[in-house]
Amino acid sequence: MQQKSFFSEETTRRLTKAAMAALLCCLATTSAAQADRPVAKPVLTGDAAIVAAKAAHEARDLAAFDRLNPAGHILAPYVDYWWLRVALEKTPPRQLDNDVHIFLKQAAGTPLAPMVQRAWLKTLGKAQDWVYFSIDYPPAEEDTELICYGIQYRYQRDGDGALEAGKALWRTGKSLPDSCKPVFETMRAKGLLTDDDLRARYTLAVQAANVPLARAMWQRLPASQRADERAFAQAERQPLKYLSSKPTPKQKGARELLIYAIERGARQNIEQTRRAWIAVREQWPQADQEYGNVRLAYQAARNLHPDAHRFFGEAGSTSLSETEQPWRIRAALWAGDYEAALTAIDALPAVNRDEETWRYWRARCLEQRKSDEAKQQAQALYLQLAGQPTYYGFLARERLPAEAVPAWAVPSAPAWPETASDFLKRDAVQRVVKLQALEMRAEMLVEWRALTRTLNDPELRVAAQAMAQQGMFDRSISAAERITAPMELALRYPRPFPEAFQKARATHGVDESWLYAVARQESRFVPNIVSSAGAIGLMQLMPRTARWVAKQRGATNYRIEHLEDATVNADFGAFYLKHCLDGLDGSLALAAVAYNAGPARARSWRAKAATKGGAALEGDIWVESIPFDETRDYVKKVLTNAKVYAQQRNETLSLRETLAWIHSPPAQAITTTPESTDAETRAVDGYSDQAAEGNSP
């Protein structure tokens, strides 16, 4: 019986040829290795030299560079760059001084020169060679590692005053590079970092769930101020048990352990942690009570707890951090307390309050007042937003009366003498195109970012057109999105691979605009892209998901390489998106969550969409309250993409109607995939299916 195949002959032929080429290469290598006499290695030129240089760099093999001759190649500077990066690791730095400075001169104007300069300075800093360090310091841009080497250099040159710069680096819950350790140790020795500074960073580390840093900060406190190791271990591993022991401020080091236990306990079980906290909080100073109340409220809000708003109320007028403030607003919106949400928005710093997000929600809150003055204020805010084709811009347009909706600004094509063909002749652009062709994406992105920072609006428009002509739609979109003048949406929202998406729509009955919306957000239409998590192709399918789809489709000859084919990827992605839509009442917002964070999370977060007045929540509030920052942003962008793609097809898609209400289904409908379903389907419908990994709120 003939096997069923969903893969074109061209796809199979291309993949077979690639496999054959790899096999022949492997056989040739094996034959050479098994020969009785050494085989002379030829000098590599052209693209082969560039590919071999990248491999030598990754293998840290300096000798391999000896047989490369990239002369005349547009990427020749990369061979010298990769050689220098390996040499800086294996050679005393002063021996490379001449090579480095020759390269800096020859590669001036490319992004390679500043990267070598920074690597050179870091090598010198690690060697404490401040004489040579001083010659090239400071570079145009510094990262944290180099900033700390700079402080070390200035300290040995200028004395204690240079250490003041370390204070700005200290207050973070993130781990910092090793180059910062000597700076902080010196600051501590000279009294510039106090015990209170250690506690402050300890608290930030606890809030960031950075366990190694929290433990390191705790261990650096004086022994006379620390609880014993056993108590710390209990707060870390059994926070509820520690809180149940009813710690008091009189116990040595108890405040640090209390902070730790509340944070870790809240991530495990809000209700139990809150009960344990209420049992002991009256014994603690007011400031500590307020801190505990705020952190429990914050974690409750991120967990979509129905009482998160009330918990925030217990915190009173306590100052909230930049991370906590948005969740105070979201908790109030979730509870339907628009006045409290408005008060919380007004409490934001001006720079945050003016963000598009909070202008929209300020208007939504003002709308609830029903007074003419409040409605006029809301309308004015909606008008400010409605001119932009963004998530909040579209929502704002749909909340304005029809007669008040502003017309879209029609962009005029900026005059620019350079054509797309001219643009492609630039050396920097040729490097971008060649790096893409050689599948050196990381290097291509560095080149591209350096290039686009130098372009004005007319040049960016030409760049977008040129990249689209090259089939590099992700770079085309990138250029178009940097244009500050009124935007040409056709450049920002291309429709490549039309046959693949039309076929997927016809096969699975998923709106073509929705398919484009997901693909644009997932891959920017790069057919062979692989994410850091392992998702592949246009629709960024995880291998496990793709195997499951292949099984459901009866494709017995499926191989993972097929996902790089646009037609196959669009087909599989459409099947999976339809699966998500069918399981979530056809809601694009819920399906987008499922596609990004897994169907189980979509079901879990949907199930919590119940207010005191019923079993539903307004869709824009639900989206705003999605616990994962990445997924929240993803859903907004997919909805926006869908709106624009529908407009391109002269179709009507109302975001307000698409969101409408998120209904909490009956209890029997919110369970995960039934146990009667095979294990593979249950796994695909689990939490960590596509992109958003981490602790599930």
Side-chain angles (χ1 to χ4, degrees), residues 553-573:
R553 302 276 281 127
T556 54
N557 59 339
Y558 161 76
R559 296 197 304 275
I560 193 170
E561 298 94 330
H562 291 143
L563 293 180
E564 295 185 10
D565 181 277
T567 301
V568 174
N569 203 289
D571 179 86
F572 278 31

Side-chain angles (χ1 to χ4, degrees), residues 21 64 76 161 171 195 212 215 267 297 390 479 487 494 529 534 581 676 686:
R171 287 184 172 264
D195 292 345
R215 178 174 282 275
R267 291 172 182 270
T390 62
M487 293 153 286
I529 194 170
L581 285 162
S676 58

Side-chain angles (χ1 to χ4, degrees), residues 419-481:
T419 65
S421 298
D422 295 331
F423 182 78
L424 289 168
K425 293 175 184 177
R426 293 190 185 194
D427 285 350
V429 180
Q430 289 185 37
R431 290 196 297 270
V432 166
V433 173
K434 177 56 76 172
L435 286 166
Q436 173 77 0
L438 296 180
E439 298 186 1
M440 297 181 182
R441 183 170 177 80
E443 290 80 5
M444 180 274 288
L445 291 175
V446 170
E447 285 277 1
W448 177 258
R449 288 163 186 156
L451 169 65
T452 52
R453 283 197 294 264
T454 69
L455 304 180
N456 58 30
D457 276 5
E459 289 175 301
L460 286 167
R461 184 174 183 273
V462 172
Q465 294 171 332
M467 292 297 100
Q469 290 176 11
Q470 293 293 308
M472 296 175 65
F473 294 102
D474 62 327
R475 296 307 91 206
S476 178
I477 294 169
S478 168
E481 287 186 333

Side-chain angles (χ1 to χ4, degrees), residues 174-196:
K174 298 178 181 178
S175 300
L176 295 175
D178 289 343
S179 62
C180 297
K181 290 181 180 178
V183 175
F184 296 147
E185 288 170 359
T186 305
M187 291 174 67
R188 178 71 168 158
K190 292 184 173 293
L192 295 175
L193 283 180
T194 65
D195 292 345
D196 286 341

